[in-house]
Amino acid sequence: MNSRLKTALSTIVFMTLMFSAIGICAAEERTPLSVRDYDEVVLAGRNDSVVGTILQDDNDGVRIVQDGHSDKGVWYPRTQIAKIEYRQTAEQAVQRRGAEALAANDFTDLLRTMKWGVEKSVKDAALDLGQKALARKGSTDIAALVMTLLWEKDDAAGVATAAKQGMALDPRWPLGYLNLAKALEKLGQAEELKKLVQAWLDVMPTSPDANRYAATAAEIAGDVPAALAAYRKLWELHHDAAAGLAYARLSLRRGGSERVVALKTAQALIDAQQNVAAAQIIAGSALVAGGDPALDAQAQPLLEAGLAAAAGADSGVSDELKIWAEYNLGLIAFRAGRFDVARKAWADLKHPAAIVASGILDRRPVPVAEVPDALRALAADLDASLDLEAKRHREAAATLADAKLPPKRQQFLTQIAAMLAKPSDETLKALSLWDTDEARRWQAYGCLISNRLAQVDAILAKLPSDDGYAAVARVYLAAAQKDDAKARELFLTVSGSKNPPADYVARLTAEYAAANNEHVTENFDWPEGDQLATGWQSSTPGTGIHVHAVDGKLLLEGTQAASDESVSRVWYTVPADRVRAAEISLDLSAIAEATAGFELLDEAQANGVALAVQPDNRIAWRALKVGVWGDWQPLSVLQGRQVTMKVEYDRGRVFVLTTDDPAQRIATGVDLGNKTQVVNVGEFGAAKPGVAWKLAADDFKVQLKPIASR
C-alpha cells in the first residue's frame, strides 16, 4: 500500500473518531434527564460547586444565592465557571432535552427522552415531543409510543394519524396496521377499514390480526363465505381457538355438508381443551342438524354439558349458543315423542325458531311477517296447513302464493287444498302417492269429511299405533258410524296417545267426558308441570307467562313480555247447549298491576264476557262483541284477594253474578245465540311489559243441563 493511500485511510479514521467524539460531547452537553429542585454552579479548577438560586445570569457571569442564605448572593464571572445545572421539573427536562434531540434529528435520544417522561408521569410532554418528531420523520418506535399515549386519551383520530405516519416509514409495519384498524373501527369508518384490511392482507396474507379483522367484517356484512375463509386460515395456520370456534359456528349455521366441518372443528377444540363448553354445544347441534334421531343420543349429553358449563361465570359461551343448546334439546325431546319437554324448552325461549317450532307443535299460527326471512317459508307452511285444515281455502291460497316453499312442498299443500275443495277419488289418490305420516293424516281427514268411512281404518292403520291424530280420528270415525259406545271407549285412549291435536281433544272432551254428568268439576289435582289435563288448552303468544300446575292450582305466572297480544289464557271447552253456569275460585294476591280474572268466550274467542279485578280492588266486567272489547263495568268491592267469579249462560245470553242470589244477576247484553257449538271458560291475565304477576285457580265448576233437555 503506497504512502498516499495510507495517509488517506488514516485521515478517514481520524475524522470518524473526531465526529464520534463530537457526537458524544454533544449528547453529554444536553440537558440532563433529571429533576432538580435547585440551581448549581460548578466552579472551574476546583472540585467544588455552589448550590442555591440564580438571581442573575448573563454573558459576564452568574449571581447565585446559596441555600440557607438571604443575602444578595455571590457573583461568579464566566472564567471561574466550569458548568451550570439549572433547576427543572420533569416536564421541563423532557421539553429541553427533547428540543435539543429534535434539533439534532437524534430520534434515538428523543425516544429515550419520551420514555423517561412517561416514567416520570409527564405523558403530555412526552406525547407532544413524539408528535413533533413524527411531523418531521421520527421512527416506528416513536409512533408506537405515541399511539399508546393517544389510546390512553381515547383519541382514535390521533392514533390513526400516528399509525399512518409510522406506516409511511415502514409499509409492512404490523403494529401500524393493527392500530389503524382499531382506530377506524372506533371512528365508525367502515369503508376505510375495509380498504385497509384488504391492503393489509395484500402485504401480509397470513397475518392473524388482518385475517381476524377480515373475518369479523365479513360476518357483520353477511358475507359468510369470506368470513369462513378468514376464520379457517386463522384456525389452520395459527391454531387460533377463538377463530376455530367461529369457524365451527358459521359452518354449522351455513348448514348442508358444512355441518360435518363444524362437528370436526368443534371436536378438535374439545380434544385440545379449548373453548370446551361452546364447542360441545356446536358439536351437539351439528349432530342434531343431521336429522338422524339415532344421533340424538350422542348429541344430548354434549348439549347438556355445554349448557351446564355455560351457566358458570366467564364461561365464554355466547347467548346465541345457549339458545342453540336449549332449542336443540327441545328438538331431541320432540323427536322422541316427549312433547311436554319440547314445549317447555321452546316456551322459555324468545327466539323466532322456538316460536315457529312451538307453533308447529301446538298447531298455532305464526304470522309470517313477524319472523326472519330464513323462517318465513316454514311459518307460511304452518299457517297454510292450519288454514287448509280449517277449510279457509282463500287464506291458504294467498299464503301459498307468497310463500317461497320448496317445489315439492308447494305441490303437496296445493294438492291438499284441491282435496279439501273437492274430496274426490282423484284428489285423495294424489295424496296417497306421498309416503309420509302427514299425507296419511290428511287422507284420513279427507275421507272423514267426504263420508268415505270404509277407507279410514286402512289409512289410520299405517300410522304409528300411538299416533295422537289417529287416536282422535278413530273417535270421529266411530261417531260418524253412529257407534256411540265405541266412540266413548276410543275417547278414553286419546289421553295415552302422542301429541293429539289439542283443539280436537277439547271438543271430544266436551262431548264425552261429562256426557251423563250434571257438573264438570276440576280441582287441578294434576302432576306438577306444564302438562295440562285432557280438555284444557292454553295460549301465551309471546307474553312470557308460564302455564303450569303446582300444589292443586292452575297457575298463570311470569314477567310480562312485550308482544302484539298481551293476554295469556287457559280454558276448558264445553258444549254450548249444555251450559247453565260456570264459576272459578281465584287467588289474586300476586297479580300486582295485572288485570286478571275469569272469562267465557265463544269458540272463535270473538264474543263473550270477562270478569277481572281492577286496581281499585273492585271486580268489573266487560263484553266482547265481534272481536271488540267494551268498557269495564264495576261490580262489588272485594274483601281480600280470594274470590269466586261466576257467570250464567241461558240460551246464548250471558249474565254475571255478584252474589248467589239469582235476582242479583246482571245482564251483559252478550248473546251468542246459536252462533257457536262450544264455549270456552277459564282464567286469563294481562299486564304492561316488565310486570311480574301470578294468577292461581284452585277450583273450577261448570253446571250442565241434562242430556234429555238438549
Side-chain angles (χ1 to χ4, degrees):
M1 182 180 296
N2 61 45
S3 59
R4 184 178 297 176
L5 181 59
K6 288 181 179 179
T7 302
L9 284 174
S10 62
T11 301
I12 292 171
V13 171
F14 172 76
M15 293 296 289
T16 302
L17 292 173
M18 182 183 72
F19 281 117
S20 175
I22 291 173
I24 293 171
C25 291
E28 288 177 348
E29 290 174 358
R30 289 178 189 165
T31 299
L33 291 174
S34 61
V35 176
R36 299 179 64 85
D37 297 326
Y38 48 82
D39 299 320
E40 183 177 1
V41 176
V42 180
L43 300 176
R46 296 166 56 182
N47 195 14
D48 193 9
S49 64
V50 180
V51 175
T53 302
I54 292 177
L55 296 180
Q56 181 182 349
D57 184 359
D58 54 35
N59 291 333
D60 295 330
V62 169
R63 183 177 297 281
I64 183 169
V65 176
Q66 274 186 286
D67 280 351
H69 293 73
S70 59
D71 53 23
K72 295 181 180 180
V74 179
W75 172 261
Y76 294 98
R78 285 288 175 186
T79 56
Q80 297 180 16
I81 299 172
K83 182 173 61 173
I84 300 174
E85 292 188 357
Y86 297 94
R87 70 178 63 211
Q88 65 182 5
T89 63
E91 182 178 14
Q92 289 171 330
V94 169
Q95 291 169 339
R96 292 167 181 169
R97 178 67 168 257
E100 294 160 0
L102 194 60
N105 284 328
D106 187 348
F107 297 117
T108 301
D109 190 46
L110 191 143
L111 179 61
R112 183 185 305 117
T113 302
M114 288 179 65
K115 290 180 177 178
W116 184 87
V118 171
E119 291 173 5
K120 298 302 180 182
S121 299
V122 286
K123 296 181 179 180
D124 286 347
L127 175 59
D128 180 65
L129 178 60
Q131 288 176 317
K132 288 176 180 177
L134 291 178
R136 289 194 178 186
K137 184 177 180 182
S139 67
T140 53
D141 288 336
I142 291 173
L145 183 51
V146 166
M147 290 189 299
T148 299
L149 295 172
L150 286 169
W151 277 128
E152 291 181 7
K153 291 176 169 292
D154 199 26
D155 184 356
V159 170
T161 299
K164 290 175 183 177
Q165 290 169 324
M167 291 164 66
L169 299 171
D170 180 359
R172 297 179 60 85
W173 186 36
L175 194 61
Y177 279 103
L178 178 60
N179 279 271
L180 181 54
K182 289 180 179 178
L184 293 175
E185 183 178 33
K186 186 172 182 62
L187 293 168
Q189 297 179 13
E191 278 304 312
E192 289 300 312
L193 177 59
K194 183 178 179 181
K195 293 176 184 176
L196 173 70
V197 171
Q198 186 55 57
W200 195 356
L201 288 171
D202 288 342
V203 296
M204 287 174 273
T206 62
S207 164
D209 291 320
N211 279 284
R212 196 171 294 114
Y213 265 97
T216 303
E219 185 173 358
I220 291 172
D223 189 349
V224 175
L228 276 171
Y231 282 132
R232 179 179 60 79
K233 199 180 295 184
L234 282 165
W235 168 241
E236 294 182 353
L237 295 180
H238 303 288
H239 307 293
D240 186 315
L245 190 66
Y247 180 44
R249 172 177 53 79
L250 277 189
S251 297
L252 180 58
R253 184 184 290 171
R254 199 174 191 191
S257 60
E258 295 294 326
R259 69 174 184 82
V260 178
V261 175
L263 180 59
K264 179 181 177 182
T265 307
Q267 189 59 58
L269 287 167
I270 295 170
D271 293 343
Q273 290 295 295
Q274 294 177 309
N275 295 329
V276 174
Q280 286 174 321
I281 291 174
I282 291 175
S285 298
L287 289 167
V288 172
D292 183 357
L295 297 177
D296 288 352
Q298 299 175 41
Q300 185 167 342
L302 285 167
L303 293 169
E304 289 175 341
L307 200 55
D314 301 323
S315 67
V317 179
S318 67
D319 290 340
E320 178 188 35
L321 289 181
K322 292 175 187 176
I323 290 172
W324 285 13
E326 292 169 351
Y327 176 83
N328 284 316
L329 285 170
L331 185 56
I332 290 172
F334 176 81
R335 287 173 177 170
R338 293 180 284 117
F339 300 112
D340 296 333
V341 175
R343 186 176 286 109
K344 173 67 166 61
W346 293 337
D348 289 344
L349 296 178
K350 303 303 176 190
H351 193 274
I355 294 171
V356 174
S358 296
I360 293 171
L361 178 60
D362 293 329
R363 298 168 61 254
R364 185 179 66 248
V366 176
V368 175
E370 296 180 9
V371 298
D373 290 344
L375 294 171
R376 287 191 176 183
L378 194 58
D381 187 334
L382 168 64
D383 293 350
S385 299
L386 295 175
D387 285 336
L388 290 171
E389 189 175 307
K391 298 184 181 179
R392 296 189 291 265
H393 300 110
R394 183 176 300 175
E395 292 88 339
T399 301
L400 288 173
D402 293 336
K404 293 180 174 60
L405 299 178
K408 287 188 177 181
R409 187 62 182 174
Q410 187 92 18
Q411 179 188 4
F412 176 64
L413 293 177
T414 302
Q415 288 177 345
I416 293 172
M419 181 274 291
L420 292 172
K422 186 179 180 180
S424 62
D425 290 340
E426 181 182 357
T427 56
L428 286 166
K429 183 179 179 181
L431 288 179
S432 70
L433 299 177
W434 299 87
D435 187 22
T436 66
D437 288 345
E438 182 185 16
R440 285 185 270 275
R441 294 185 186 109
W442 279 109
Q443 279 182 269
Y445 181 76
C447 290
L448 280 170
I449 63 175
S450 62
N451 208 33
R452 289 174 167 79
L453 305 182
Q455 301 176 38
V456 177
D457 258 336
I459 296 169
L460 295 178
K462 296 179 182 179
L463 290 169
S465 59
D466 58 355
D467 185 81
Y469 189 96
V472 167
R474 290 188 181 99
V475 179
Y476 276 99
L477 176 61
Q481 293 170 334
K482 309 297 184 185
D483 191 342
D484 194 58
K486 184 177 181 181
R488 295 179 190 283
E489 180 182 343
L490 289 169
F491 169 71
L492 298 176
T493 69
V494 170
S495 62
S497 64
K498 285 187 177 179
N499 203 33
D503 48 351
Y504 284 103
V505 172
R507 284 173 170 271
L508 293 175
T509 301
E511 183 68 25
Y512 295 116
N516 296 310
N517 297 341
E518 293 184 359
H519 293 90
V520 173
T521 59
E522 184 63 74
N523 296 320
F524 306 112
D525 189 18
W526 306 341
E528 292 190 7
D530 304 317
Q531 177 62 47
L532 303 183
T534 300
W536 284 86
Q537 299 179 79
S538 66
S539 173
T540 57
T543 62
I545 301 304
H546 184 200
V547 179
H548 59 136
V550 177
D551 295 332
K553 294 183 178 182
L554 181 58
L555 302 180
L556 290 172
E557 181 178 18
T559 298
Q560 188 82 26
S563 60
D564 292 338
E565 172 58 63
S566 62
V567 180
S568 299
R569 292 186 169 94
V570 56
W571 69 87
Y572 188 86
T573 300
V574 190
D577 60 356
R578 291 206 60 199
V579 180
R580 283 190 188 277
E583 64 181 64
I584 195 167
S585 295
L586 297 173
D587 180 350
L588 300 135
S589 59
I591 63 169
E593 298 172 15
T595 297
F598 180 50
E599 61 185 4
L600 180 148
L601 304 175
D602 64 6
E603 184 176 10
Q605 296 183 345
N607 300 278
V609 169
L611 292 91
V613 170
Q614 298 290 286
D616 63 0
N617 206 39
R618 291 179 179 274
I619 296 180
W621 67 272
R622 65 175 179 173
L624 175 66
K625 297 180 180 180
V626 198
V628 179
W629 285 103
D631 295 333
W632 287 103
Q633 307 296 323
L635 292 174
S636 61
V637 175
L638 281 178
Q639 299 299 319
R641 287 297 180 111
Q642 308 292 325
V643 63
T644 297
M645 297 181 175
K646 185 173 183 180
V647 297
E648 285 192 352
Y649 189 79
D650 184 3
R651 290 167 291 184
R653 293 173 298 170
V654 185
F655 301 83
V656 296
L657 278 72
T658 59
T659 68
D660 290 333
D661 183 0
Q664 298 296 316
R665 70 180 187 171
I666 297 173
T668 64
V670 174
D671 188 350
L672 304 182
N674 43 5
K675 300 174 186 175
T676 183
Q677 295 181 344
V678 298
V679 294
N680 299 324
V681 285
E683 58 178 326
F684 77 96
K688 293 180 179 179
V691 173
W693 61 274
K694 178 171 70 175
L695 175 65
D698 59 9
D699 194 19
F700 172 81
K701 183 185 296 183
V702 180
Q703 186 179 359
L704 302 174
K705 298 175 184 177
I707 292 178
S709 65
R710 297 174 69 183

